[in-house]
mmCIF file of all heavy atoms in Angstrom:
data_model
loop_
_atom_site.group_PDB
_atom_site.id
_atom_site.type_symbol
_atom_site.label_atom_id
_atom_site.label_comp_id
_atom_site.label_asym_id
_atom_site.label_seq_id
_atom_site.Cartn_x
_atom_site.Cartn_y
_atom_site.Cartn_z
ATOM 1 N N GLU J 218 0.813 -1.217 0.000
ATOM 2 C CA GLU J 218 0.000 0.000 0.000
ATOM 3 C C GLU J 218 0.850 1.272 0.000
ATOM 4 O O GLU J 218 0.348 2.352 -0.287
ATOM 5 C CB GLU J 218 -0.958 0.009 1.188
ATOM 6 C CG GLU J 218 -2.041 -1.049 1.120
ATOM 7 C CD GLU J 218 -1.532 -2.454 1.425
ATOM 8 O OE1 GLU J 218 -0.503 -2.603 2.127
ATOM 9 O OE2 GLU J 218 -2.152 -3.411 0.936
ATOM 10 N N GLU J 219 2.146 1.163 0.332
ATOM 11 C CA GLU J 219 3.034 2.326 0.331
ATOM 12 C C GLU J 219 3.428 2.756 -1.079
ATOM 13 O O GLU J 219 3.859 3.882 -1.290
ATOM 14 C CB GLU J 219 4.307 2.027 1.128
ATOM 15 C CG GLU J 219 4.089 1.871 2.606
ATOM 16 C CD GLU J 219 5.374 1.556 3.348
ATOM 17 O OE1 GLU J 219 6.469 1.808 2.807
ATOM 18 O OE2 GLU J 219 5.280 1.037 4.469
ATOM 19 N N PHE J 220 3.272 1.864 -2.047
ATOM 20 C CA PHE J 220 3.623 2.201 -3.423
ATOM 21 C C PHE J 220 2.542 3.094 -4.028
ATOM 22 O O PHE J 220 1.378 3.049 -3.626
ATOM 23 C CB PHE J 220 3.782 0.931 -4.266
ATOM 24 C CG PHE J 220 5.032 0.172 -3.974
ATOM 25 C CD1 PHE J 220 5.045 -0.847 -3.034
ATOM 26 C CD2 PHE J 220 6.217 0.481 -4.627
ATOM 27 C CE1 PHE J 220 6.205 -1.536 -2.749
ATOM 28 C CE2 PHE J 220 7.386 -0.215 -4.360
ATOM 29 C CZ PHE J 220 7.378 -1.215 -3.407
ATOM 30 N N ALA J 221 2.942 3.892 -4.999
ATOM 31 C CA ALA J 221 1.998 4.767 -5.704
ATOM 32 C C ALA J 221 0.858 3.933 -6.290
ATOM 33 O O ALA J 221 1.043 2.776 -6.653
ATOM 34 C CB ALA J 221 2.725 5.525 -6.810
ATOM 35 N N SER J 222 -0.307 4.528 -6.377
ATOM 36 C CA SER J 222 -1.477 3.794 -6.874
ATOM 37 C C SER J 222 -1.254 3.268 -8.289
ATOM 38 O O SER J 222 -1.735 2.179 -8.624
ATOM 39 C CB SER J 222 -2.732 4.658 -6.801
ATOM 40 O OG SER J 222 -2.596 5.802 -7.607
ATOM 41 N N PHE J 223 -0.516 4.004 -9.123
ATOM 42 C CA PHE J 223 -0.226 3.523 -10.476
ATOM 43 C C PHE J 223 0.570 2.219 -10.422
ATOM 44 O O PHE J 223 0.270 1.270 -11.150
ATOM 45 C CB PHE J 223 0.553 4.572 -11.277
ATOM 46 C CG PHE J 223 1.006 4.068 -12.617
ATOM 47 C CD1 PHE J 223 0.106 3.915 -13.658
ATOM 48 C CD2 PHE J 223 2.335 3.726 -12.837
ATOM 49 C CE1 PHE J 223 0.515 3.426 -14.895
ATOM 50 C CE2 PHE J 223 2.752 3.246 -14.064
ATOM 51 C CZ PHE J 223 1.842 3.095 -15.098
ATOM 52 N N ILE J 224 1.568 2.166 -9.556
ATOM 53 C CA ILE J 224 2.385 0.946 -9.437
ATOM 54 C C ILE J 224 1.533 -0.203 -8.909
ATOM 55 O O ILE J 224 1.600 -1.321 -9.437
ATOM 56 C CB ILE J 224 3.619 1.200 -8.546
ATOM 57 C CG1 ILE J 224 4.592 2.125 -9.288
ATOM 58 C CG2 ILE J 224 4.301 -0.108 -8.151
ATOM 59 C CD1 ILE J 224 5.808 2.543 -8.494
ATOM 60 N N GLN J 225 0.725 0.038 -7.903
ATOM 61 C CA GLN J 225 -0.155 -1.009 -7.382
ATOM 62 C C GLN J 225 -1.069 -1.547 -8.484
ATOM 63 O O GLN J 225 -1.244 -2.759 -8.621
ATOM 64 C CB GLN J 225 -1.014 -0.462 -6.235
ATOM 65 C CG GLN J 225 -0.245 -0.163 -4.978
ATOM 66 C CD GLN J 225 -1.161 0.340 -3.881
ATOM 67 O OE1 GLN J 225 -2.266 -0.163 -3.692
ATOM 68 N NE2 GLN J 225 -0.705 1.354 -3.160
ATOM 69 N N LYS J 226 -1.623 -0.641 -9.266
ATOM 70 C CA LYS J 226 -2.533 -1.024 -10.351
ATOM 71 C C LYS J 226 -1.808 -1.897 -11.380
ATOM 72 O O LYS J 226 -2.329 -2.931 -11.811
ATOM 73 C CB LYS J 226 -3.085 0.240 -11.008
ATOM 74 C CG LYS J 226 -4.072 0.017 -12.099
ATOM 75 C CD LYS J 226 -4.566 1.362 -12.624
ATOM 76 C CE LYS J 226 -5.458 1.208 -13.810
ATOM 77 N NZ LYS J 226 -5.915 2.505 -14.335
ATOM 78 N N GLN J 227 -0.597 -1.498 -11.755
ATOM 79 C CA GLN J 227 0.159 -2.260 -12.750
ATOM 80 C C GLN J 227 0.576 -3.624 -12.216
ATOM 81 O O GLN J 227 0.544 -4.618 -12.949
ATOM 82 C CB GLN J 227 1.386 -1.466 -13.206
ATOM 83 C CG GLN J 227 1.062 -0.179 -13.964
ATOM 84 C CD GLN J 227 0.163 -0.399 -15.154
ATOM 85 O OE1 GLN J 227 -1.036 -0.132 -15.101
ATOM 86 N NE2 GLN J 227 0.734 -0.890 -16.232
ATOM 87 N N VAL J 228 0.950 -3.695 -10.954
ATOM 88 C CA VAL J 228 1.333 -4.974 -10.345
ATOM 89 C C VAL J 228 0.128 -5.907 -10.288
ATOM 90 O O VAL J 228 0.245 -7.105 -10.588
ATOM 91 C CB VAL J 228 1.944 -4.764 -8.939
ATOM 92 C CG1 VAL J 228 2.080 -6.081 -8.190
ATOM 93 C CG2 VAL J 228 3.297 -4.079 -9.045
ATOM 94 N N LYS J 229 -1.014 -5.380 -9.928
ATOM 95 C CA LYS J 229 -2.228 -6.205 -9.894
ATOM 96 C C LYS J 229 -2.569 -6.734 -11.284
ATOM 97 O O LYS J 229 -2.885 -7.921 -11.459
ATOM 98 C CB LYS J 229 -3.396 -5.412 -9.319
ATOM 99 C CG LYS J 229 -3.293 -5.188 -7.832
ATOM 100 C CD LYS J 229 -4.464 -4.364 -7.326
ATOM 101 C CE LYS J 229 -4.386 -4.145 -5.837
ATOM 102 N NZ LYS J 229 -5.539 -3.379 -5.326
ATOM 103 N N LYS J 230 -2.518 -5.854 -12.276
ATOM 104 C CA LYS J 230 -2.801 -6.290 -13.650
ATOM 105 C C LYS J 230 -1.789 -7.340 -14.111
ATOM 106 O O LYS J 230 -2.153 -8.327 -14.751
ATOM 107 C CB LYS J 230 -2.754 -5.098 -14.610
ATOM 108 C CG LYS J 230 -3.935 -4.182 -14.539
ATOM 109 C CD LYS J 230 -3.765 -3.064 -15.572
ATOM 110 C CE LYS J 230 -4.831 -2.037 -15.538
ATOM 111 N NZ LYS J 230 -4.589 -0.976 -16.536
ATOM 112 N N ALA J 231 -0.506 -7.122 -13.782
ATOM 113 C CA ALA J 231 0.541 -8.065 -14.181
ATOM 114 C C ALA J 231 0.337 -9.412 -13.506
ATOM 115 O O ALA J 231 0.519 -10.464 -14.133
ATOM 116 C CB ALA J 231 1.916 -7.497 -13.847
ATOM 117 N N THR J 232 -0.048 -9.399 -12.249
ATOM 118 C CA THR J 232 -0.301 -10.649 -11.534
ATOM 119 C C THR J 232 -1.469 -11.390 -12.167
ATOM 120 O O THR J 232 -1.395 -12.603 -12.411
ATOM 121 C CB THR J 232 -0.583 -10.377 -10.043
ATOM 122 O OG1 THR J 232 0.510 -9.650 -9.486
ATOM 123 C CG2 THR J 232 -0.769 -11.667 -9.270
ATOM 124 N N ALA J 233 -2.530 -10.672 -12.465
ATOM 125 C CA ALA J 233 -3.694 -11.288 -13.108
ATOM 126 C C ALA J 233 -3.340 -11.816 -14.496
ATOM 127 O O ALA J 233 -3.779 -12.905 -14.883
ATOM 128 C CB ALA J 233 -4.842 -10.291 -13.189
ATOM 129 N N ALA J 234 -2.535 -11.073 -15.236
ATOM 130 C CA ALA J 234 -2.107 -11.532 -16.561
ATOM 131 C C ALA J 234 -1.301 -12.822 -16.448
ATOM 132 O O ALA J 234 -1.444 -13.728 -17.273
ATOM 133 C CB ALA J 234 -1.284 -10.448 -17.255
ATOM 134 N N GLN J 235 -0.475 -12.916 -15.408
ATOM 135 C CA GLN J 235 0.316 -14.135 -15.220
ATOM 136 C C GLN J 235 -0.573 -15.307 -14.825
ATOM 137 O O GLN J 235 -0.370 -16.422 -15.281
ATOM 138 C CB GLN J 235 1.415 -13.915 -14.179
ATOM 139 C CG GLN J 235 2.338 -15.107 -14.016
ATOM 140 C CD GLN J 235 3.129 -15.435 -15.275
ATOM 141 O OE1 GLN J 235 3.506 -14.551 -16.040
ATOM 142 N NE2 GLN J 235 3.383 -16.708 -15.496
ATOM 143 N N VAL J 236 -1.578 -15.052 -14.008
ATOM 144 C CA VAL J 236 -2.528 -16.111 -13.650
ATOM 145 C C VAL J 236 -3.200 -16.633 -14.910
ATOM 146 O O VAL J 236 -3.279 -17.842 -15.142
ATOM 147 C CB VAL J 236 -3.586 -15.600 -12.635
ATOM 148 C CG1 VAL J 236 -4.726 -16.600 -12.489
ATOM 149 C CG2 VAL J 236 -2.941 -15.327 -11.285
ATOM 150 N N GLU J 237 -3.658 -15.716 -15.753
ATOM 151 C CA GLU J 237 -4.322 -16.119 -16.994
ATOM 152 C C GLU J 237 -3.359 -16.890 -17.897
ATOM 153 O O GLU J 237 -3.740 -17.865 -18.548
ATOM 154 C CB GLU J 237 -4.883 -14.896 -17.703
ATOM 155 C CG GLU J 237 -5.807 -15.230 -18.841
ATOM 156 C CD GLU J 237 -6.601 -14.029 -19.277
ATOM 157 O OE1 GLU J 237 -5.987 -13.011 -19.687
ATOM 158 O OE2 GLU J 237 -7.842 -14.107 -19.223
ATOM 159 N N PHE J 238 -2.104 -16.484 -17.926
ATOM 160 C CA PHE J 238 -1.073 -17.179 -18.689
ATOM 161 C C PHE J 238 -0.929 -18.617 -18.187
ATOM 162 O O PHE J 238 -0.792 -19.551 -18.972
ATOM 163 C CB PHE J 238 0.248 -16.412 -18.560
ATOM 164 C CG PHE J 238 1.345 -16.854 -19.475
ATOM 165 C CD1 PHE J 238 1.279 -16.623 -20.840
ATOM 166 C CD2 PHE J 238 2.480 -17.487 -18.964
ATOM 167 C CE1 PHE J 238 2.317 -17.001 -21.683
ATOM 168 C CE2 PHE J 238 3.516 -17.872 -19.798
ATOM 169 C CZ PHE J 238 3.436 -17.628 -21.162
ATOM 170 N N TYR J 239 -0.976 -18.793 -16.872
ATOM 171 C CA TYR J 239 -0.945 -20.137 -16.307
ATOM 172 C C TYR J 239 -2.147 -20.951 -16.761
ATOM 173 O O TYR J 239 -2.019 -22.111 -17.145
ATOM 174 C CB TYR J 239 -0.936 -20.082 -14.774
ATOM 175 C CG TYR J 239 0.369 -19.677 -14.143
ATOM 176 C CD1 TYR J 239 0.379 -19.071 -12.887
ATOM 177 C CD2 TYR J 239 1.596 -19.901 -14.753
ATOM 178 C CE1 TYR J 239 1.565 -18.702 -12.279
ATOM 179 C CE2 TYR J 239 2.786 -19.532 -14.150
ATOM 180 C CZ TYR J 239 2.767 -18.938 -12.913
ATOM 181 O OH TYR J 239 3.932 -18.580 -12.306
ATOM 182 N N VAL J 240 -3.329 -20.349 -16.706
ATOM 183 C CA VAL J 240 -4.556 -21.053 -17.060
ATOM 184 C C VAL J 240 -4.491 -21.563 -18.500
ATOM 185 O O VAL J 240 -4.781 -22.731 -18.763
ATOM 186 C CB VAL J 240 -5.798 -20.158 -16.863
ATOM 187 C CG1 VAL J 240 -7.052 -20.841 -17.398
ATOM 188 C CG2 VAL J 240 -5.974 -19.794 -15.392
ATOM 189 N N VAL J 241 -4.090 -20.714 -19.423
ATOM 190 C CA VAL J 241 -4.105 -21.108 -20.838
ATOM 191 C C VAL J 241 -2.901 -21.956 -21.245
ATOM 192 O O VAL J 241 -2.900 -22.542 -22.329
ATOM 193 C CB VAL J 241 -4.250 -19.896 -21.781
ATOM 194 C CG1 VAL J 241 -5.550 -19.165 -21.524
ATOM 195 C CG2 VAL J 241 -3.079 -18.963 -21.686
ATOM 196 N N ASN J 242 -1.893 -22.058 -20.370
ATOM 197 C CA ASN J 242 -0.690 -22.827 -20.708
ATOM 198 C C ASN J 242 -0.445 -24.021 -19.794
ATOM 199 O O ASN J 242 0.680 -24.516 -19.703
ATOM 200 C CB ASN J 242 0.535 -21.912 -20.696
ATOM 201 C CG ASN J 242 0.543 -20.985 -21.881
ATOM 202 O OD1 ASN J 242 0.735 -21.394 -23.007
ATOM 203 N ND2 ASN J 242 0.299 -19.708 -21.625
ATOM 204 N N GLY J 243 -1.459 -24.480 -19.104
ATOM 205 C CA GLY J 243 -1.332 -25.709 -18.331
ATOM 206 C C GLY J 243 -0.811 -25.548 -16.919
ATOM 207 O O GLY J 243 -0.464 -26.541 -16.283
ATOM 208 N N GLY J 244 -0.726 -24.345 -16.408
ATOM 209 C CA GLY J 244 -0.330 -24.133 -15.023
ATOM 210 C C GLY J 244 1.146 -23.895 -14.840
ATOM 211 O O GLY J 244 1.949 -24.117 -15.745
ATOM 212 N N PRO J 245 1.516 -23.437 -13.637
ATOM 213 C CA PRO J 245 2.925 -23.138 -13.370
ATOM 214 C C PRO J 245 3.812 -24.372 -13.439
ATOM 215 O O PRO J 245 4.972 -24.289 -13.829
ATOM 216 C CB PRO J 245 2.915 -22.529 -11.969
ATOM 217 C CG PRO J 245 1.609 -22.904 -11.373
ATOM 218 C CD PRO J 245 0.671 -23.116 -12.496
ATOM 219 N N GLU J 246 3.263 -25.527 -13.090
ATOM 220 C CA GLU J 246 4.058 -26.753 -13.139
ATOM 221 C C GLU J 246 4.524 -27.047 -14.562
ATOM 222 O O GLU J 246 5.670 -27.426 -14.789
ATOM 223 C CB GLU J 246 3.261 -27.952 -12.604
ATOM 224 C CG GLU J 246 2.775 -27.792 -11.187
ATOM 225 C CD GLU J 246 1.506 -26.956 -11.052
ATOM 226 O OE1 GLU J 246 0.860 -26.624 -12.061
ATOM 227 O OE2 GLU J 246 1.164 -26.626 -9.914
ATOM 228 N N GLN J 247 3.639 -26.855 -15.508
ATOM 229 C CA GLN J 247 3.974 -27.090 -16.913
ATOM 230 C C GLN J 247 5.017 -26.094 -17.404
ATOM 231 O O GLN J 247 5.989 -26.463 -18.048
ATOM 232 C CB GLN J 247 2.714 -26.987 -17.778
ATOM 233 C CG GLN J 247 2.928 -27.244 -19.244
ATOM 234 C CD GLN J 247 3.253 -28.690 -19.543
ATOM 235 O OE1 GLN J 247 2.841 -29.598 -18.826
ATOM 236 N NE2 GLN J 247 4.000 -28.931 -20.599
ATOM 237 N N LEU J 248 4.832 -24.833 -17.066
ATOM 238 C CA LEU J 248 5.751 -23.795 -17.529
ATOM 239 C C LEU J 248 7.097 -23.851 -16.828
ATOM 240 O O LEU J 248 8.135 -23.568 -17.424
ATOM 241 C CB LEU J 248 5.122 -22.409 -17.332
ATOM 242 C CG LEU J 248 3.904 -22.129 -18.202
ATOM 243 C CD1 LEU J 248 3.212 -20.865 -17.748
ATOM 244 C CD2 LEU J 248 4.288 -22.037 -19.660
ATOM 245 N N ASP J 249 7.099 -24.207 -15.547
ATOM 246 C CA ASP J 249 8.341 -24.260 -14.780
ATOM 247 C C ASP J 249 9.125 -25.545 -15.009
ATOM 248 O O ASP J 249 10.271 -25.656 -14.587
ATOM 249 C CB ASP J 249 8.063 -24.096 -13.285
ATOM 250 C CG ASP J 249 7.617 -22.695 -12.934
ATOM 251 O OD1 ASP J 249 7.850 -21.780 -13.748
ATOM 252 O OD2 ASP J 249 7.031 -22.518 -11.853
ATOM 253 N N ALA J 250 8.507 -26.512 -15.675
ATOM 254 C CA ALA J 250 9.184 -27.786 -15.911
ATOM 255 C C ALA J 250 10.379 -27.626 -16.834
ATOM 256 O O ALA J 250 11.281 -28.454 -16.846
ATOM 257 C CB ALA J 250 8.204 -28.812 -16.493
ATOM 258 N N GLY J 251 10.385 -26.563 -17.612
ATOM 259 C CA GLY J 251 11.524 -26.299 -18.480
ATOM 260 C C GLY J 251 11.608 -27.212 -19.686
ATOM 261 O O GLY J 251 12.662 -27.390 -20.265
ATOM 262 N N GLU J 252 10.502 -27.810 -20.054
ATOM 263 C CA GLU J 252 10.506 -28.674 -21.224
ATOM 264 C C GLU J 252 10.750 -27.853 -22.471
ATOM 265 O O GLU J 252 10.170 -26.804 -22.664
ATOM 266 C CB GLU J 252 9.186 -29.426 -21.329
ATOM 267 C CG GLU J 252 8.968 -30.361 -20.159
ATOM 268 C CD GLU J 252 7.603 -31.009 -20.185
ATOM 269 O OE1 GLU J 252 6.789 -30.670 -21.065
ATOM 270 O OE2 GLU J 252 7.356 -31.852 -19.326
ATOM 271 N N ASP J 253 11.624 -28.341 -23.314
ATOM 272 C CA ASP J 253 11.991 -27.619 -24.527
ATOM 273 C C ASP J 253 11.577 -28.438 -25.737
ATOM 274 O O ASP J 253 12.151 -29.481 -26.012
ATOM 275 C CB ASP J 253 13.504 -27.367 -24.550
ATOM 276 C CG ASP J 253 13.949 -26.614 -25.792
ATOM 277 O OD1 ASP J 253 13.086 -26.121 -26.541
ATOM 278 O OD2 ASP J 253 15.168 -26.531 -26.007
ATOM 279 N N TYR J 254 10.543 -27.975 -26.418
ATOM 280 C CA TYR J 254 10.072 -28.659 -27.612
ATOM 281 C C TYR J 254 10.469 -27.909 -28.879
ATOM 282 O O TYR J 254 9.863 -28.087 -29.915
ATOM 283 C CB TYR J 254 8.551 -28.822 -27.556
ATOM 284 C CG TYR J 254 8.108 -29.703 -26.416
ATOM 285 C CD1 TYR J 254 7.415 -29.186 -25.339
ATOM 286 C CD2 TYR J 254 8.407 -31.056 -26.407
ATOM 287 C CE1 TYR J 254 7.018 -29.987 -24.280
ATOM 288 C CE2 TYR J 254 8.016 -31.874 -25.363
ATOM 289 C CZ TYR J 254 7.324 -31.335 -24.314
ATOM 290 O OH TYR J 254 6.934 -32.127 -23.271
ATOM 291 N N SER J 255 11.496 -27.075 -28.788
ATOM 292 C CA SER J 255 11.902 -26.309 -29.953
ATOM 293 C C SER J 255 12.672 -27.175 -30.953
ATOM 294 O O SER J 255 12.729 -26.844 -32.125
ATOM 295 C CB SER J 255 12.732 -25.101 -29.542
ATOM 296 O OG SER J 255 13.890 -25.506 -28.855
ATOM 297 N N ASN J 256 13.254 -28.268 -30.502
ATOM 298 C CA ASN J 256 13.970 -29.195 -31.375
ATOM 299 C C ASN J 256 13.678 -30.620 -30.931
ATOM 300 O O ASN J 256 13.919 -30.966 -29.779
ATOM 301 C CB ASN J 256 15.489 -28.968 -31.282
ATOM 302 C CG ASN J 256 15.892 -27.590 -31.713
ATOM 303 O OD1 ASN J 256 15.686 -27.203 -32.843
ATOM 304 N ND2 ASN J 256 16.449 -26.826 -30.779
ATOM 305 N N PHE J 257 13.121 -31.428 -31.845
ATOM 306 C CA PHE J 257 12.933 -32.833 -31.517
ATOM 307 C C PHE J 257 12.813 -33.641 -32.793
ATOM 308 O O PHE J 257 12.608 -33.097 -33.883
ATOM 309 C CB PHE J 257 11.728 -33.055 -30.591
ATOM 310 C CG PHE J 257 10.397 -32.727 -31.215
ATOM 311 C CD1 PHE J 257 9.670 -33.685 -31.897
ATOM 312 C CD2 PHE J 257 9.865 -31.461 -31.087
ATOM 313 C CE1 PHE J 257 8.448 -33.379 -32.459
ATOM 314 C CE2 PHE J 257 8.628 -31.148 -31.639
ATOM 315 C CZ PHE J 257 7.923 -32.106 -32.329
ATOM 316 N N ALA J 258 12.961 -34.946 -32.650
ATOM 317 C CA ALA J 258 12.859 -35.850 -33.794
ATOM 318 C C ALA J 258 12.078 -37.085 -33.385
ATOM 319 O O ALA J 258 12.230 -37.592 -32.282
ATOM 320 C CB ALA J 258 14.243 -36.243 -34.282
ATOM 321 N N ILE J 259 11.234 -37.553 -34.305
ATOM 322 C CA ILE J 259 10.512 -38.809 -34.141
ATOM 323 C C ILE J 259 10.733 -39.586 -35.432
ATOM 324 O O ILE J 259 10.227 -39.195 -36.485
ATOM 325 C CB ILE J 259 9.009 -38.586 -33.901
ATOM 326 C CG1 ILE J 259 8.788 -37.724 -32.668
ATOM 327 C CG2 ILE J 259 8.287 -39.916 -33.782
ATOM 328 C CD1 ILE J 259 7.351 -37.302 -32.439
ATOM 329 N N GLY J 260 11.529 -40.638 -35.351
ATOM 330 C CA GLY J 260 11.882 -41.380 -36.551
ATOM 331 C C GLY J 260 12.630 -40.473 -37.506
ATOM 332 O O GLY J 260 13.586 -39.800 -37.137
ATOM 333 N N SER J 261 12.167 -40.419 -38.759
ATOM 334 C CA SER J 261 12.828 -39.563 -39.737
ATOM 335 C C SER J 261 12.294 -38.129 -39.717
ATOM 336 O O SER J 261 12.850 -37.254 -40.374
ATOM 337 C CB SER J 261 12.664 -40.146 -41.136
ATOM 338 O OG SER J 261 11.292 -40.199 -41.474
ATOM 339 N N PHE J 262 11.228 -37.884 -38.947
ATOM 340 C CA PHE J 262 10.673 -36.542 -38.848
ATOM 341 C C PHE J 262 11.473 -35.729 -37.843
ATOM 342 O O PHE J 262 11.739 -36.168 -36.734
ATOM 343 C CB PHE J 262 9.206 -36.592 -38.406
ATOM 344 C CG PHE J 262 8.620 -35.229 -38.130
ATOM 345 C CD1 PHE J 262 8.218 -34.412 -39.182
ATOM 346 C CD2 PHE J 262 8.482 -34.752 -36.843
ATOM 347 C CE1 PHE J 262 7.682 -33.158 -38.943
ATOM 348 C CE2 PHE J 262 7.952 -33.500 -36.586
ATOM 349 C CZ PHE J 262 7.547 -32.701 -37.643
ATOM 350 N N GLN J 263 11.859 -34.505 -38.240
ATOM 351 C CA GLN J 263 12.576 -33.617 -37.347
ATOM 352 C C GLN J 263 11.891 -32.253 -37.327
ATOM 353 O O GLN J 263 11.408 -31.785 -38.359
ATOM 354 C CB GLN J 263 14.021 -33.428 -37.798
ATOM 355 C CG GLN J 263 14.847 -34.677 -37.691
ATOM 356 C CD GLN J 263 16.293 -34.415 -38.083
ATOM 357 O OE1 GLN J 263 16.649 -33.324 -38.493
ATOM 358 N NE2 GLN J 263 17.120 -35.431 -37.941
ATOM 359 N N TYR J 264 11.857 -31.655 -36.155
ATOM 360 C CA TYR J 264 11.283 -30.321 -36.006
ATOM 361 C C TYR J 264 12.310 -29.447 -35.309
ATOM 362 O O TYR J 264 12.911 -29.840 -34.321
ATOM 363 C CB TYR J 264 10.005 -30.358 -35.162
ATOM 364 C CG TYR J 264 9.488 -28.979 -34.814
ATOM 365 C CD1 TYR J 264 8.740 -28.247 -35.721
ATOM 366 C CD2 TYR J 264 9.773 -28.407 -33.591
ATOM 367 C CE1 TYR J 264 8.275 -26.980 -35.410
ATOM 368 C CE2 TYR J 264 9.312 -27.131 -33.260
ATOM 369 C CZ TYR J 264 8.569 -26.427 -34.179
ATOM 370 O OH TYR J 264 8.115 -25.177 -33.864
ATOM 371 N N SER J 265 12.479 -28.237 -35.838
ATOM 372 C CA SER J 265 13.368 -27.278 -35.213
ATOM 373 C C SER J 265 12.704 -25.917 -35.293
ATOM 374 O O SER J 265 12.297 -25.481 -36.371
ATOM 375 C CB SER J 265 14.719 -27.246 -35.921
ATOM 376 O OG SER J 265 15.555 -26.288 -35.341
#
């Protein structure tokens, strides 16, 4: 509450945006797992 109202407002919005990001991306566990699907191969198929 000691922070300026603008900062409080932005922090609240940012927190809510992060919650929504969790909801649409499978939760913090999924995002924090650090899985990297930017490069993988299945048989002769490769994705990068």
Side-chain angles (χ1 to χ4, degrees):
E218 293 75 25
E219 292 179 19
F220 286 92
S222 62
F223 174 74
I224 290 176
Q225 290 181 41
K226 182 178 174 181
Q227 294 305 102
V228 168
K229 287 179 179 182
K230 285 181 184 179
T232 304
Q235 185 63 34
V236 168
E237 191 165 60
F238 190 70
Y239 285 154
V240 173
V241 299
N242 287 290
E246 302 81 10
Q247 181 69 29
L248 293 169
D249 290 342
E252 296 174 355
D253 180 10
Y254 296 111
S255 60
N256 299 298
F257 66 90
I259 302 173
S261 62
F262 173 78
Q263 293 183 356
Y264 172 81
S265 178

